[in-house]
Amino acid sequence: AQSVTQLDSQVPVFEEAPVELRCNYSSSVSVYLFWYVQYPNQGLQLLLKYLSGSTLVKGINGFEAEFNKSQTSFHLRKPSVHISDTAEYFCARMDTGRRALTFGSGTRLQVQP
Amino acid sequence: GAVVSQHPSRVICKSGTSVKIECRSLDFQATTMFWYRQFPKQSLMLMATSNEGSKATYEQGVEKDKFLINHASLTLSTLTVTSAHPEDSSFYICSAVGAGSNYGYTFGSGTRLTVV
């Protein structure tokens, strides 16, 4: 089965510091990749997605991610975080022939003042 | 942008009763809807995929007679948890995607089900 691995369950960071949330995926011929954010007791909001084209993808709220096929990674980055970025972040994939998303285990980003 | 409304946001029911959760696409036609279950501090696990007008496809290990999914129109899908038990307590989230949406999955705000 195709998988998504988020190695960091929690990432504490100080406000205004840069952050990187790691995501690796099992190799596939064709894969689309997504990052979502979830605030407590809420659904998921799309941050960004990679379907094709430029490997550097810019999303909302100042987030960006880079698709690296050789390392099968899709790490999420933000140069300067805010307290309001504290949330759960999920990396997800969609494979050809299967429309549903497969999610990683999530990373809790905790921004401290 | 696309909006998916999910109701109720919270529900408490007694063991043995049934609960219905609704998921509506407000400004687009959802050709496909997905139902996920999320346990505390865990990821989303796909329960089933439903296409408008056809039977839902359930993931392995999900009891289709317990989790009834109906997708009768392009804007509404329902999940009914039948004869609920405490172990069914969880956070349920729906997601919808329209035709030609370029993989724009829109999620509902989730339903916290507590079975007592």
Side-chain angles (χ1 to χ4, degrees), chain A residues 38 41 43 49 94 99 104, chain B residues 32 38 43 59 102 105 108 112:
Chain A
Q38 183 182 35
N41 293 311
K49 60 184 175 184
M94 196 209 80
R99 293 199 78 192
Chain B
T32 305
Q38 185 180 30
S43 188
E59 294 298 296
N102 200 23
Y105 299 87
R112 173 74 59 193

Side-chain angles (χ1 to χ4, degrees), chain A residues 14 18 21-22 25-26 39 41 50 52-53 61 66 69 75 93 97 102 108 111:
Chain A
F14 287 107
L21 306 184
R22 296 183 293 168
Y25 63 94
S26 57
Y39 298 100
N41 293 311
Y50 172 78
S52 65
N61 301 342
E66 185 159 15
K69 190 173 182 178
H75 301 332
R93 66 185 288 164
T102 299
R108 172 78 177 165
V111 182

Side-chain angles (χ1 to χ4, degrees), chain B:
Chain B
V3 177
V4 170
S5 175
Q6 185 173 344
H7 291 282
S9 58
R10 292 177 180 270
V11 58
I12 300 173
C13 72
K14 291 185 177 181
S15 187
T17 62
S18 296
V19 173
K20 180 183 284 188
I21 302 170
E22 290 190 350
C23 182
R24 293 180 184 272
S25 57
L26 298 186
D27 48 5
F28 68 101
Q29 293 184 326
T31 52
T32 305
M33 287 193 174
F34 308 92
W35 287 94
Y36 293 87
R37 183 173 181 175
Q38 185 180 30
F39 290 103
K41 299 188 186 301
Q42 293 188 30
S43 188
L44 285 76
M45 301 302 295
L46 179 68
M47 298 175 67
T49 301
S50 72
N51 294 299
E52 184 267 338
S54 60
K55 289 184 178 180
T57 302
Y58 291 81
E59 294 298 296
Q60 192 172 8
V62 177
E63 299 176 61
K64 62 180 181 181
D65 294 330
K66 181 168 187 61
F67 298 99
L68 300 179
I69 292 172
N70 184 284
H71 191 168
S73 77
L74 284 170
T75 60
L76 175 65
S77 177
T78 60
L79 166 67
T80 301
V81 183
T82 63
S83 186
H85 288 93
E87 58 265 31
D88 299 324
S89 298
S90 189
F91 194 58
Y92 293 88
I93 305 176
C94 69
S95 173
V97 62
S101 65
N102 200 23
Y103 307 105
Y105 299 87
T106 303
F107 286 79
S109 54
T111 297
R112 173 74 59 193
L113 170 63
T114 303
V115 184
V116 297

Side-chain angles (χ1 to χ4, degrees), chain A residues 31-50:
Chain A
V31 64
Y32 301 145
L33 297 165
F34 306 77
W35 273 101
Y36 285 89
V37 60
Q38 183 182 35
Y39 298 100
N41 293 311
Q42 293 187 30
L44 276 68
Q45 180 182 9
L46 179 68
L47 287 175
L48 47 81
K49 60 184 175 184
Y50 172 78

Side-chain angles (χ1 to χ4, degrees), chain A:
Chain A
Q2 305 298 355
S3 64
V4 178
T5 302
Q6 292 180 249
L7 288 172
D8 306 306
S9 59
Q10 292 189 72
V11 173
V13 62
F14 287 107
E15 194 174 18
E16 298 183 6
V19 70
E20 178 180 83
L21 306 184
R22 296 183 293 168
C23 173
N24 287 87
Y25 63 94
S26 57
S27 184
S28 174
V29 173
S30 177
V31 64
Y32 301 145
L33 297 165
F34 306 77
W35 273 101
Y36 285 89
V37 60
Q38 183 182 35
Y39 298 100
N41 293 311
Q42 293 187 30
L44 276 68
Q45 180 182 9
L46 179 68
L47 287 175
L48 47 81
K49 60 184 175 184
Y50 172 78
L51 302 181
S52 65
S54 174
T55 57
L56 183 62
V57 181
K58 293 190 181 298
I60 63 171
N61 301 342
F63 285 95
E64 64 179 34
E66 185 159 15
F67 173 66
N68 188 320
K69 190 173 182 178
S70 63
Q71 300 201 0
T72 61
S73 68
F74 190 55
H75 301 332
L76 181 70
R77 301 185 182 98
K78 186 169 182 177
S80 175
V81 295
H82 303 289
I83 296 288
S84 58
D85 292 323
T86 295
E88 191 82 19
Y89 291 79
F90 291 98
C91 183
R93 66 185 288 164
M94 196 209 80
D95 295 274
T96 304
R98 178 177 168 83
R99 293 199 78 192
L101 297 175
T102 299
F103 288 88
S105 54
T107 297
R108 172 78 177 165
L109 176 63
Q110 297 170 302
V111 182
Q112 304 165 12

